[in-house]
Amino acid sequence: MIDRVKERIKKRLSDEEINDDVMDEINQIVTDRLCLRLGVSEDAFPTLFESIVVDACVKAWRKCYYEGVSSEGVGSLSNTFIDDVLAEYASEIDSWVNANESSKKRTVHFL
C-alpha cells in the first residue's frame, strides 16, 4: 500500500523535489494515525482511505518547514496552518467507523 500511495504522492508533487526518506516517514505517520482513528491494523487498512493518505501527506509535506506555525502574515498575504492534517476528513472517518461498528454489533441467536 505504501508504495502505491508514494507513487500517487509523487504525481501530485511532480513539480517539487521530494526527499524519499522524509516522504516515507510522513506517509507512515499519516497511515499510522489513520489506522488508529479507524481502529484497524495496517494489514486491514481500507483502500478507500488511500486518497486521504495522499492528500494528508501532501499537506504534511508542504507544512514540513513551517512546523509549529499556526499563522503568518506578510503585507496583505496571510497563511494559516492546520495542526491536524486529518481533521478535514473527520466526517468520512466517523462515517466509516460508525458503519463498521454497527456491522460488528450484529449477532445471531440460536434457539
Side-chain angles (χ1 to χ4, degrees), residues 1 7 17 50 78 97 108:
M1 183 228 17
E7 290 305 312
E17 188 175 325
E50 286 182 10
S78 177
V97 168
V108 176

Side-chain angles (χ1 to χ4, degrees), residues 83-98:
D83 291 331
D84 180 1
V85 294
L86 294 173
E88 72 180 270
Y89 310 106
S91 63
E92 290 95 337
I93 294 167
D94 292 342
S95 293
W96 190 90
V97 168
N98 291 336

Side-chain angles (χ1 to χ4, degrees), residues 3 12 15 24 29 33 36 50 65 69 75-77 80 98:
D3 290 335
R12 292 271 304 274
D15 58 334
D24 288 346
I29 289 168
R33 290 182 179 174
L36 288 170
E50 286 182 10
Y65 299 103
V69 176
S76 62
L77 189 63
T80 301
N98 291 336

Side-chain angles (χ1 to χ4, degrees), residues 33-40 45-46 49 92-94 96-97 100 104:
R33 290 182 179 174
L34 194 50
C35 283
L36 288 170
R37 292 182 190 195
L38 295 172
V40 298
F45 188 82
F49 285 91
E92 290 95 337
I93 294 167
D94 292 342
W96 190 90
V97 168
N100 282 295
K104 289 178 186 175

Side-chain angles (χ1 to χ4, degrees), residues 28-95:
Q28 189 63 57
I29 289 168
V30 170
T31 302
D32 290 347
R33 290 182 179 174
L34 194 50
C35 283
L36 288 170
R37 292 182 190 195
L38 295 172
V40 298
S41 68
E42 192 172 336
D43 295 335
F45 188 82
T47 57
L48 281 171
F49 285 91
E50 286 182 10
S51 293
I52 290 176
V53 173
V54 171
D55 282 347
C57 285
V58 168
K59 289 175 184 168
W61 174 260
R62 290 192 171 145
K63 84 170 226 177
C64 208
Y65 299 103
Y66 295 97
E67 190 171 352
V69 176
S70 61
S71 67
E72 71 176 354
V74 176
S76 62
L77 189 63
S78 177
N79 293 323
T80 301
F81 300 93
I82 56 172
D83 291 331
D84 180 1
V85 294
L86 294 173
E88 72 180 270
Y89 310 106
S91 63
E92 290 95 337
I93 294 167
D94 292 342
S95 293

